[in-house]
Amino acid sequence: MAVPFSEAQRHVVETAEMVNFGSGPSAYAFEYRRSGIKGFNFGMTPSSFLMEKPLLEYVAPMLPRGCAVILTVCPFSFGKNNGDENPRRRFARYFRLYESAEPADELWFPYGASREESGCDAETLESRTTSMLNIWSKEFDLALTAHAPLDVTAIRARNAEAFDIERARLLELHETCRRFGLKSCLLLPPLAKTLRERLPKGLLDIFLYENIQKLPQIPVLDYTAGLDDADFCGPVFLSLNGAVRLTKTIAAEISACPLKPSDA
């Protein structure tokens, strides 16, 4: 597998201070150019870490030693997804977009529309949250209403294999970072308050925090409640201004408390 970087894009990778991997919320969470930070946004859809390993294996030798590698873990990154995870579909965005002459950090959006500058109004955010909950309900066989009781036993049984697979994938990414002298950490990206209040109680514990606790080798940055709803253009998608705010905040935190090179 090879990504056809242009000369300018390769230079960005080779001088990066920070890069991010993960699904759509990761793509929306970072904005390096406007933040004044040397970085590259490798966020892509869908939720799992199916294709990050070959991409990181290809990119890691180009990254400078000590570069921070942010592995973005979204609410259902560990879950069993009923959707399509065709690798060719995921990588199509890279082979299509890297032919562009645009600067590397402007190529983050694979969805056919550019990111909104500012957050959307409350009514729009509420509507988009409803749409996202409906999508997740179908993808993960869940009744996603705040008052719906969770069948914890059934959820854990249905997702047990997927939980194991995704944790193993993250450990492989962590090991790749260790081999190349990179500093990996897990990022729990911001979730709009509108979304957090509508998720069933305990859902994030089952799908997110219980899995994170089983990966003690990897440092964690938890920003699930880190930004106001004014910074969102969707329940898990930051506006351009919100992405700048988050990128600067994470860079400052890493600078103040530097990540150590990944241990095995």
Side-chain angles (χ1 to χ4, degrees), residues 77-97:
S77 291
F78 293 102
K80 177 178 173 58
N81 193 326
N82 294 324
D84 175 25
E85 285 201 318
N86 187 313
R88 295 178 64 85
R89 181 171 66 87
R90 296 194 78 188
F91 273 136
R93 120 169 168 80
Y94 287 103
F95 289 101
R96 182 176 71 256
L97 291 178

Side-chain angles (χ1 to χ4, degrees), residues 3-258:
V3 177
F5 289 115
S6 70
E7 183 177 345
Q9 292 158 357
R10 189 181 182 99
H11 175 73
V12 173
V13 174
E14 291 175 340
T15 59
E17 301 167 1
M18 184 167 74
V19 295
N20 61 284
F21 293 82
S23 62
S26 182
Y28 277 77
F30 291 88
E31 168 53 46
Y32 294 110
R33 177 192 291 182
R34 293 200 185 189
S35 303
I37 295 166
K38 294 180 179 179
F40 202 106
N41 190 331
F42 288 104
M44 59 181 171
T45 190
S47 298
S48 79
F49 290 93
L50 176 66
M51 296 307 297
E52 274 70 12
K53 182 181 179 182
L55 181 57
L56 181 59
E57 290 275 2
Y58 177 75
V59 170
M62 305 180 204
L63 294 170
R65 291 182 64 85
C67 177
V69 177
I70 312 297
L71 306 173
T72 311
V73 182
C74 303
F76 295 101
S77 291
F78 293 102
K80 177 178 173 58
N81 193 326
N82 294 324
D84 175 25
E85 285 201 318
N86 187 313
R88 295 178 64 85
R89 181 171 66 87
R90 296 194 78 188
F91 273 136
R93 120 169 168 80
Y94 287 103
F95 289 101
R96 182 176 71 256
L97 291 178
Y98 287 136
E99 295 176 356
S100 168
E102 293 297 316
D105 58 346
E106 293 299 316
L107 296 181
W108 65 271
F109 55 92
Y111 309 116
S114 61
R115 184 164 31 178
E116 297 173 34
E117 185 84 17
S118 303
C120 58
D121 60 74
E123 183 178 355
T124 300
L125 183 57
E126 189 72 34
S127 175
R128 291 176 179 177
T129 298
T130 298
S131 297
M132 181 61 71
L133 290 171
N134 289 335
I135 291 171
W136 283 342
S137 294
K138 295 176 182 178
E139 287 184 341
F140 299 98
D141 285 343
L142 294 166
L144 292 180
T145 61
H147 303 293
L150 295 177
D151 187 340
V152 175
T153 301
I155 291 174
R156 287 200 176 107
R158 181 180 184 276
N159 290 276
E161 182 179 6
F163 287 167
D164 289 342
I165 289 172
E166 295 306 327
R167 288 198 305 270
R169 287 172 175 169
L170 281 171
L171 286 175
E172 288 180 337
L173 295 173
H174 179 66
E175 168 61 18
T176 298
C177 290
R178 185 199 65 78
R179 285 192 288 112
F180 288 96
L182 308 173
K183 302 178 295 186
S184 64
C185 73
L186 303 180
L187 170 67
L188 281 52
L191 307 177
K193 184 179 179 182
T194 301
L195 172 64
R196 288 184 276 116
E197 291 179 343
R198 292 181 60 179
L199 288 174
K201 184 178 180 180
L203 187 78
L204 292 181
D205 291 332
I206 297 171
F207 278 91
L208 192 57
Y209 290 106
E210 291 179 5
N211 284 293
I212 294 296
Q213 289 170 0
K214 294 179 180 179
L215 297 168
Q217 307 93 324
I218 316 177
V220 180
L221 303 176
D222 188 351
Y223 281 88
T224 50
L227 293 179
D228 296 331
D229 278 5
D231 288 314
F232 288 83
C233 57
V236 293
F237 301 130
L238 295 182
S239 67
L240 188 57
N241 291 337
V244 169
R245 197 184 323 279
L246 181 67
T247 304
K248 289 182 176 180
T249 300
I250 291 174
E253 180 168 349
I254 291 174
S255 177
C257 300

